[in-house]
Amino acid sequence: MTQKDTLFAQPYEAVGAFQFDESVVSVFPDMIQRSVPGYQTILTGIGELTPRFAQPQSRIYDLGCSLGAATLTMRRKLENTPCQIIAVDNSAAMIERATSYLAAFHSEVQVDFVLDDIAEIAISNASIVVLNFTLQFISPDKREALLQKIYQGLNPGGVLILSEKIHFDAPPIQEAIEHLHLQFKRANGYSELEISQKRASLENVLISDSAEQHLSRLKKVGFDHAAIWLQAYNFASFLAIKNEKVPRETST
Ligand code: GEK
């Protein structure tokens, strides 16, 4: 049973910077569902893409896994492909809760939860890497290096699924789409106070890029193909593919 998110319902004299601590963990599923349009559809899509790209005996990484929602949806679709899932988060409260949550469902697929900064972990023999609303919390100057590491760690034919809040450079478009997001939050029961305090708390914590910035950076680090496969207002999910190796021509 998930708790309702009322973290910002009371007026605060000063709103502190958003942290993924125990108080957020207990309301997280409700918070993300009511705040991120398309979240559930993205999870479903991640599940559907999994058997298409998972390679036998490879690793699948869920970076910034929170309570393991993407890990769970991928694990359910992996029954016939022997893979190891590595789910990483730097919030101890998240990792603790995710570990006990996933243990409640039976599966033959090995899942290793790792408490660490995703900038610090090694990535190798990967067929799928998921960054589901995590890159936006990484310092902008470290994003390219992280994506480069992911690209290097992917096997040929491997993919990155990257979901992010995005912004739009043209102010009238930004304002109109921001309005749609605000209406989404209001329709999901958030008050004006909750919306404005959460926004203040996320300022300088969640720093968005534009879709163009994402696509050009994905190309820059080496991905052969990159495109948005789902967008809901100012939330988008990108699929980036590292090509299969072209077999070298032999002289015989
Ligand atoms: C989902 N993917 O439900 N290293 C590791 N983890 C980090 C780091 C970092 N440097 N920075 C932030 N995180 C999930 C949702 S939530 C998105 C992801 C949101 C973690 C942070 O602790 C949190 O659990 C997660 O990234 C972001 O599919 O809350 O909007």
Side-chain angles (χ1 to χ4, degrees), residues 18 20 24 28 31-32 36 39 43 46 62-70 88-91 94 116-119 130-134 136-138 206:
F18 193 85
F20 291 97
V24 168
F28 188 75
M31 171 187 278
I32 198 155
V36 177
Y39 176 71
L43 285 179
I46 290 173
D62 181 4
L63 304 180
C65 61
S66 297
L67 299 183
V88 186
D89 205 289
N90 65 353
S91 156
M94 286 288 189
D116 209 337
D117 185 333
I118 58 174
V130 170
L131 275 169
N132 204 32
F133 301 108
T134 306
Q136 60 198 17
F137 295 108
I138 303 296
L206 189 171

Side-chain angles (χ1 to χ4, degrees), residues 3 17 48 57 60-61 81 105 146 149 154 160 164 169 184 199-200 205-206 213 217 221 233:
Q3 240 175 280
E48 296 300 343
Q57 318 301 342
I60 293 179
Y61 291 84
T81 317
F105 302 88
L146 174 60
K149 176 172 76 174
L154 278 167
L160 166 67
E164 289 275 288
D169 290 329
F184 173 86
R199 176 183 292 181
V205 176
L206 189 171
Q213 278 174 297
R217 191 167 45 209
V221 302
Y233 303 151

Side-chain angles (χ1 to χ4, degrees), residues 29-200:
D30 180 69
M31 171 187 278
I32 198 155
Q33 289 278 356
R34 289 202 288 142
S35 310
V36 177
Y39 176 71
Q40 200 53 54
T41 313
I42 287 173
L43 285 179
T44 304
I46 290 173
E48 296 300 343
L49 290 170
T50 297
R52 197 175 174 92
F53 291 106
Q55 299 167 357
Q57 318 301 342
S58 70
R59 299 195 177 106
I60 293 179
Y61 291 84
D62 181 4
L63 304 180
C65 61
S66 297
L67 299 183
T71 288
L72 190 61
T73 185
M74 291 192 286
R75 192 175 73 167
R76 286 195 177 123
K77 294 281 183 176
L78 270 178
E79 295 308 339
N80 300 318
T81 317
C83 288
Q84 175 195 12
I85 303 182
I86 299 174
V88 186
D89 205 289
N90 65 353
S91 156
M94 286 288 189
I95 288 289
E96 200 183 305
R97 194 71 67 91
T99 307
S100 61
Y101 181 55
L102 258 79
F105 302 88
H106 172 76
S107 169
E108 298 295 321
V109 179
Q110 183 187 342
V111 176
D112 292 324
F113 282 102
V114 177
L115 174 62
D116 209 337
D117 185 333
I118 58 174
E120 302 300 326
I121 60 150
I123 296 181
S124 63
N125 185 25
S127 56
I128 302 176
V129 176
V130 170
L131 275 169
N132 204 32
F133 301 108
T134 306
L135 192 66
Q136 60 198 17
F137 295 108
I138 303 296
S139 164
D141 59 329
K142 296 197 173 135
R143 291 178 187 178
E144 188 177 315
L146 174 60
L147 292 173
Q148 187 81 64
K149 176 172 76 174
I150 291 170
Y151 180 79
Q152 296 296 345
L154 278 167
N155 296 334
V159 293
L160 166 67
I161 301 171
L162 167 69
S163 312
E164 289 275 288
K165 184 175 190 183
I166 56 171
H167 66 254
F168 304 85
D169 290 329
I173 300 286
Q174 172 62 28
E175 283 156 26
I177 297 182
E178 177 73 22
H179 171 72
L180 291 171
H181 182 220
L182 280 176
Q183 290 298 85
F184 173 86
K185 292 184 88 166
R186 289 175 181 133
N188 283 334
Y190 282 117
S191 67
E192 301 307 310
L193 178 70
E194 286 176 294
I195 291 170
S196 72
Q197 292 195 134
K198 173 103 181 273
R199 176 183 292 181

